């Protein structure tokens, strides 16, 4: 039996780690915690909003969808978001979560601003037809030590996917486009390949913003 199992439950698809007592991973944009963030924190004061230069109708290409939180927050602030995810399992979990959110009165407007594509962003960027206003990258950086900041669902994601071994290629592919604004989310103390135009630091993460 494989360690990770994709299960279909009454509440939707979920990913279980059979070697952990942690709850299976399910993406739920209507969860209490995320709804709170959408209501209170998902506003224009969020570093994420400042990093992308939030504006109604801004087009954002989120190359690393993951749990879809950043994409959903941006959509709730009026951005039109295309999110890319290369893991088939994560793409299925996202698809399931978006489908459920469509039936939710408070979420359906935001969901309609999101498009999910199951693809590797490196190839997608190389063949980009419509250049978005902003490209966003938030890959899985290698964990140097046990991080107290990585909690809950992100822990399961880290165990399931490990770290992304091609971050430099992804960064180079994003830089090779003519997009005017590139946002890279990374651990706060992680070095940057190039000096960003500006950075926004939080307690555990940092947004490096490259404006051209
Ligand atoms: C740290 S998570 C992103 C979390 C996300 N920002 C959120 O708010 O939930 C990184 C995700 O990016 C995906 N990813 C990494 N490199 C990618 C690539 N080249 N193309 C598409 N997806 C990629 C990984 O599979 C993983 O699901």
């Amino acid at each position: 039996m494989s360690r990770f199992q994709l299960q279909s439950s009454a509440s939707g698809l979920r990913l279980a780690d059979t070697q952990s007592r942690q709850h299976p991973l399910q993406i739920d944009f209507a969860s209490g915690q995320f709804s709170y963030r959408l209501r209170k924190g998902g506003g224009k004061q969020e570093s994420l909003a400042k990093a992308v230069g939030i504006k109604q109708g801004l087009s954002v290409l989120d190359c690393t969808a993951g749990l879809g939180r950043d994409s959903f927050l941006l959509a709730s602030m009026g951005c039109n978001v295309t999110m890319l995810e290369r893991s088939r399992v994560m793409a299925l979990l996202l698809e399931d979560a978006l489908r459920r959110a469509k039936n939710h009165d408070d979420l359906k407007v935001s969901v309609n601003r999101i498009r999910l594509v199951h693809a590797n962003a490196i190839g997608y960027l190389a063949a980009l037809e419509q250049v978005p206003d902003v490209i966003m990258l938030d890959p899985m950086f290698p964990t140097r030590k046990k991080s107290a900041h990585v909690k809950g669902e992100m822990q399961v994601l880290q165990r399931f996917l490990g770290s992304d071994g091609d971050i430099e290629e992804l960064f180079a592919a994003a830089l090779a486009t003519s997009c005017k604004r590139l946002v890279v989310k990374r651990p706060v103390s992680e070095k940057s390949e190039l000096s960003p135009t500006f950075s926004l630091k939080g307690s555990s993460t940092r947004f490096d913003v490259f404006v051209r």
Side-chain angles (χ1 to χ4, degrees):
M1 187 180 77
S2 79
R3 173 173 175 179
F4 293 95
Q5 292 178 351
L6 190 59
Q7 303 172 338
S8 174
S9 74
S11 61
L13 272 189
R14 54 191 209 174
L15 178 68
D17 178 354
T18 58
Q19 291 178 20
S20 161
R21 286 204 218 147
Q22 230 172 330
H23 275 297
L25 168 63
Q26 183 173 49
I27 303 175
D28 182 9
F29 298 117
S31 75
Q33 220 182 2
F34 191 69
S35 303
Y36 180 83
R37 201 172 157 203
L38 280 175
R39 279 198 318 273
K40 307 279 183 200
K44 298 191 167 61
Q45 294 314 312
E46 271 232 4
S47 299
L48 173 66
K50 292 182 184 159
V52 300
I54 203 78
K55 194 161 65 177
Q56 198 71 22
L58 196 78
S59 58
V60 179
L61 177 63
D62 179 355
C63 290
T64 50
L67 302 170
R69 291 172 183 166
D70 290 332
S71 281
F72 206 94
L73 279 166
L74 290 172
S76 76
M77 290 184 259
C79 299
N80 296 315
V81 185
T82 297
M83 56 179 179
L84 309 180
E85 176 50 60
R86 69 173 160 195
S87 155
R88 173 129 188 84
V89 168
M90 291 314 298
L92 285 171
L93 291 175
L94 281 166
E95 189 180 64
D96 183 59
L98 291 173
R99 187 183 45 73
R100 276 181 279 116
K102 266 194 182 151
N103 298 321
H104 202 288
D105 282 347
D106 298 337
L107 304 176
K108 58 184 168 203
V109 175
S110 303
V111 185
N112 288 333
R113 297 198 189 107
I114 300 176
R115 189 167 73 100
L116 167 68
V117 182
H118 172 223
N120 187 327
I122 297 171
Y124 189 95
L125 286 166
L128 199 62
E129 282 172 7
Q130 258 196 319
V131 181
D133 296 317
V134 183
I135 292 179
M136 201 176 133
L137 311 179
D138 175 21
M140 312 277 286
F141 283 90
T143 39
R144 296 223 178 87
K145 47 188 171 212
K146 262 197 177 165
S147 170
H149 297 298
V150 180
K151 297 205 178 85
E153 290 146 341
M154 202 47 94
Q155 264 178 342
V156 183
L157 191 65
Q158 232 173 36
R159 285 200 301 269
F160 177 59
L161 295 173
S163 56
D164 291 314
D166 50 5
I167 296 175
E168 283 174 23
E169 271 172 83
L170 179 60
F171 186 65
L175 279 181
T177 68
S178 55
C179 182
K180 297 233 162 46
R181 195 172 182 115
L182 170 63
V183 175
V184 185
K185 187 174 170 185
R186 56 174 88 238
V188 72
S189 52
E190 185 81 30
K191 285 209 182 94
S192 173
E193 304 78 352
L194 284 178
S195 292
T197 313
F198 67 93
S199 292
L200 297 163
K201 281 188 193 174
S203 56
S204 58
T205 53
R206 185 178 92 223
F207 290 94
D208 286 346
V209 184
F210 301 82
V211 184
R212 298 186 285 182

